[in-house]
Amino acid sequence: MNHSLSSLKAAIELRHPRMFRRLTWLRDRLAPYYAEPELRLLPALCVPGEAAYDIGANSGIYTFWLCRTAASVTAFEPNPKLASLLESKFAPLIASGRLRVEGCALSDGDGSIVLHVPRSSALASVEVGAVGAHGEEVEAVTVPRRTLDHYDDRTVGFLKIDVEGHESAVVGGGLHLIGRDRPNLLIEAEERHNPGALAALQARLAPLGYRGYFVLAGRLCTLDGFDPDRHQSRSALNAAGTHRVKGRIYINNFIFVARDGVADRLRAALGQSSGS
């Protein structure tokens, strides 16, 4: 999506919220056909009978599909406008108790924090340098700050974390829950937002028994095969840095697992032979 389309999306969201909700429902249904390949791995990543947490839910693509796979879902979205969208869009699921929406930023402490929200895109972040790098107008919004460990009232089998550079702090604020339940993790991490991001995650998660992977060309690869210069080159993104250029490689989603058998389930879901 180029900058003009992102601006159009933002305008529809602001001026025609009902239309925007309908458009996101359609987008969510079609997402497995065009979105990131990790979305199609949710049945292998979610654990039957256990909860899933969508941290950085945005307008709800992952929330939509997690609600069809996990026992229950909690969607965390600090942007008040998007949190309101989620509450309206998923009202029946919320009423049924299958979904709860938490309008806060997860981090490594409690209180409040400033969220930086570009007016022309939905990629908000509490990290100052992660948004607005291309002259976008950015609004500063103070939002509640909580830790993942605050939400340890259920057994969690899967965490998706997409917080534009703040992922290590989210994990740091959830080490009790993560160590207790050992959920499968899908985490977005980018060197351009936070240099050393992947190494910081590995340092936090390896002591808990986690092994890291990424998906490349339809195969599950171990993290020792990841090369930031090759697999996360800024030149593979559009000018705004919001989407991958067609035909280019840009890996920013990483899978961490600590439970036995999960890697083999992921390989089977990808059509890859076990152990290859």
Side-chain angles (χ1 to χ4, degrees):
M1 183 181 293
N2 59 32
H3 182 74
S4 62
L5 287 178
S6 296
S7 299
L8 176 60
K9 174 178 174 287
I12 294 173
E13 177 186 353
L14 179 65
R15 300 173 189 171
H16 307 284
R18 183 176 297 180
M19 180 188 297
F20 185 71
R21 287 196 299 272
R22 291 174 179 171
L23 288 173
T24 61
W25 271 106
L26 177 61
R27 177 210 61 188
D28 294 349
R29 285 182 169 85
L30 295 176
Y33 300 99
Y34 73 86
E36 52 199 28
E38 293 81 8
L39 186 68
R40 296 187 287 275
L41 296 178
L42 291 186
L45 287 167
C46 287
V47 180
E50 297 184 9
Y53 286 1
D54 185 358
I55 302 168
N58 202 273
S59 56
I61 289 180
Y62 272 85
T63 298
F64 179 92
W65 289 100
L66 287 173
C67 285
R68 283 151 176 76
T69 309
S72 67
V73 178
T74 301
F76 297 89
E77 177 47 54
N79 185 332
K81 292 179 181 177
L82 290 176
S84 179
L85 167 70
L86 294 170
E87 289 171 348
S88 174
K89 176 178 171 180
F90 296 113
L93 286 169
I94 294 172
S96 74
R98 290 284 315 285
L99 171 68
R100 63 180 176 182
V101 175
E102 296 289 339
C104 64
L106 290 188
S107 188
D108 53 4
D110 295 319
S112 62
I113 197 167
V114 174
L115 181 72
H116 306 276
V117 185
R119 295 191 181 275
S120 60
S121 79
L123 299 180
S125 178
V126 299
E127 298 288 335
V128 177
V131 297
H134 297 275
E136 301 168 285
E137 186 177 355
V138 177
E139 179 183 7
V141 181
T142 300
V143 299
R145 180 179 185 236
R146 300 285 184 269
T147 65
L148 177 58
D149 281 340
H150 182 80
Y151 298 91
D152 65 351
D153 58 325
R154 56 197 67 187
T155 302
V156 181
F158 174 69
L159 298 176
K160 168 257 182 182
I161 304 174
D162 182 355
V163 289
E164 305 300 321
H166 203 59
E167 55 280 340
S168 183
V170 172
V171 170
L175 292 176
H176 167 73
L177 182 151
I178 294 171
R180 182 194 71 186
D181 295 344
R182 301 204 308 165
N184 301 320
L185 311 175
L186 175 61
I187 307 178
E188 181 188 87
E190 299 184 65
E191 293 295 306
R192 65 188 177 117
H193 290 159
N194 187 4
L198 190 56
L201 288 171
Q202 289 178 281
R204 288 192 183 275
L205 293 170
L208 300 178
Y210 276 87
R211 304 170 301 280
Y213 302 89
F214 65 101
V215 177
L216 176 65
R219 296 177 62 83
L220 190 70
C221 305
T222 58
L223 286 187
D224 57 7
F226 179 76
D227 178 359
D229 292 335
R230 177 186 173 197
H231 298 134
Q232 211 172 85
S233 171
R234 177 62 180 83
S235 65
L237 299 177
N238 63 359
T242 55
H243 289 81
R244 178 177 58 84
V245 175
K246 187 176 181 179
R248 299 294 302 276
I249 293 172
Y250 191 83
I251 305 297
N252 60 348
N253 285 325
F254 301 93
I255 298 168
F256 293 89
V257 301
R259 301 189 189 189
D260 293 336
V262 179
D264 285 340
R265 290 205 305 272
L266 292 169
R267 292 187 183 98
L270 291 165
Q272 181 181 350
S273 60
S274 179
S276 66

